[in-house]
């Protein structure tokens, strides 16, 4: 016979498991940039725009990432994503960005991926290497548009505000922390990255006016990645269930022993 304490323990374990699953689902629900925070003097850093599929019935078939033009990213390389084609739009600056290697006059303003699919219950990383980061700002806000196979478009464009609740569709935000004081080198882009626009490694401010477009095609084939968050949640749930079972079993054996005595 199960005691009230054992029942309470089992109920608590179930609630904890449900909380973990809910947290994992929430954490993976937004389009994000990963890593989400780096020092301002970071160079040659690989970032992944992680796009989860929130629709139970439709696949994601198009992803658009818009780069800021008020504080432009001075250089970027786009890695091929199996099964997807990337289209890179560049913008000419009215005020060049001055670097030790010369002036940067053209920057990436938009990348669009099409041709592939992100199935329900999966996510996809779209990888870009930044040769340098913007100066004069503590954050870089990217606006993302996610198109589903039924034609629905989710606009991840709302900028989170300090002290305010998170918006329904928050834009991916890269936070820039204090400079490290060294050369700021970070891991380079994944092997096989295809060139977008990478003029020079260091940056100062500038503003955008006109645009041109360059297209590169990613290699075909491959499959969607499985969601890490759900895997972790499953492990946690399994551990909680095992602990609850062991404790309930011990209490049951204790009660039987008392009855036979």
């Amino acid at each position: 016979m199960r005691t009230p304490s054992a029942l309470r323990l089992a109920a608590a374990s179930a609630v904890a498991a449900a909380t973990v699953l809910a947290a994992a689902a929430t954490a993976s629900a937004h389009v994000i940039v990963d890593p989400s925070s780096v020092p301002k003097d970071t160079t040659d850093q690989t970032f992944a725009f992680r796009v989860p599929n929130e629709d139970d019935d439709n696949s994601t078939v198009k992803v658009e990432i818009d780069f800021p033009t008020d504080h432009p990213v001075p250089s970027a390389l786009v890695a091929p994503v199996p099964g997807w084609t990337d289209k890179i739009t560049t913008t000419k600056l009215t005020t060049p960005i001055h670097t030790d290697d010369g002036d940067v006059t053209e920057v990436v303003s938009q990348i669009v991926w099409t041709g592939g699919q992100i199935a329900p219950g999966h996510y996809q990383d779209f990888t870009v290497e930044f040769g340098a980061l913007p100066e004069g700002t503590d954050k870089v806000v990217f606006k993302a548009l996610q198109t589903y196979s039924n034609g629905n478009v989710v606009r991840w464009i709302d900028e989170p505000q300090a002290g305010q609740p998170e918006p329904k569709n928050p834009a991916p935000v890269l936070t820039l922390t204090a400079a490290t004081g060294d050369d700021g080198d970070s891991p380079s882009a994944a092997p096989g990255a295809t060139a977008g626009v990478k003029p020079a490694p260091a940056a100062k401010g500038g503003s955008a006016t006109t645009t041109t477009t360059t297209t590169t095609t990613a290699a075909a084939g491959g499959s969607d990645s499985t969601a890490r968050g759900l895997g972790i949640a499953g492990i946690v749930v399994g551990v909680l269930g095992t602990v609850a079972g062991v404790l309930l079993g011990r209490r049951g054996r204790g009660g039987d022993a008392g009855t036979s005595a």
Side-chain angles (χ1 to χ4, degrees), residues 117-144:
Q117 290 191 2
I118 307 173
H122 293 73
Y123 72 87
Q124 179 66 57
D125 283 347
F126 297 90
T127 306
V128 182
E129 179 197 356
F130 295 172
L133 297 171
E135 289 189 353
T137 184
D138 293 327
K139 62 182 178 181
V140 186
V141 180
F142 302 91
K143 295 185 177 182

Side-chain angles (χ1 to χ4, degrees), residues 14 29 39 43 86 99 105 115 121 149 182 184 186 190 213 226 237 245:
T43 60
D86 54 74
T99 76
T105 60
S149 53
D182 54 21
S186 300
T213 300
T226 55
V237 171

Side-chain angles (χ1 to χ4, degrees), residues 17 27 36 48 53 92 106 119 127 160 189 197 212 224 240 254 261:
S36 60
N53 192 322
K92 291 185 177 180
E106 191 171 321
T127 306
V197 174
T212 57
D224 297 317
L240 290 173

Side-chain angles (χ1 to χ4, degrees), residues 55-77:
D55 194 308
D56 294 333
D57 303 312
N58 298 282
S59 297
T60 295
V61 295
K62 179 180 178 182
V63 174
E64 173 185 322
I65 302 295
D66 292 327
F67 284 54
T69 55
D70 54 345
H71 294 286
V73 176
S75 76
L77 285 173

Side-chain angles (χ1 to χ4, degrees), residues 31-210:
V31 176
I32 62 170
V33 58
D34 182 43
S36 60
S37 178
V38 294
K40 293 181 178 180
D41 56 351
T42 297
T43 60
D44 299 325
Q45 170 69 50
T46 298
F47 295 91
F49 291 97
R50 179 160 297 175
V51 182
N53 192 322
E54 296 183 298
D55 194 308
D56 294 333
D57 303 312
N58 298 282
S59 297
T60 295
V61 295
K62 179 180 178 182
V63 174
E64 173 185 322
I65 302 295
D66 292 327
F67 284 54
T69 55
D70 54 345
H71 294 286
V73 176
S75 76
L77 285 173
V78 181
V81 181
W84 293 79
T85 298
D86 54 74
K87 180 179 180 180
I88 305 164
T89 299
T90 60
T91 297
K92 291 185 177 180
L93 304 175
T94 54
T95 303
I97 300 173
H98 302 293
T99 76
D100 293 338
D101 298 317
D103 290 348
V104 175
T105 60
E106 191 171 321
V107 296
V108 171
S109 58
Q110 182 187 80
I111 306 174
V112 178
W113 287 270
T114 56
Q117 290 191 2
I118 307 173
H122 293 73
Y123 72 87
Q124 179 66 57
D125 283 347
F126 297 90
T127 306
V128 182
E129 179 197 356
F130 295 172
L133 297 171
E135 289 189 353
T137 184
D138 293 327
K139 62 182 178 181
V140 186
V141 180
F142 302 91
K143 295 185 177 182
L145 273 62
Q146 180 179 11
T147 302
Y148 285 92
S149 53
N150 63 353
N152 288 343
V153 179
V154 180
R155 299 169 62 83
W156 304 97
I157 62 173
D158 298 329
E159 184 176 345
Q161 301 294 330
Q164 299 294 324
E166 184 178 65
K168 181 180 179 181
N169 295 320
V173 177
L174 172 62
T175 300
L176 305 182
T177 60
T180 60
D182 54 21
D183 59 9
D185 286 345
S186 300
S188 60
T194 57
V197 174
K198 189 175 183 180
K204 295 184 180 179
S207 58
T209 51
T210 60

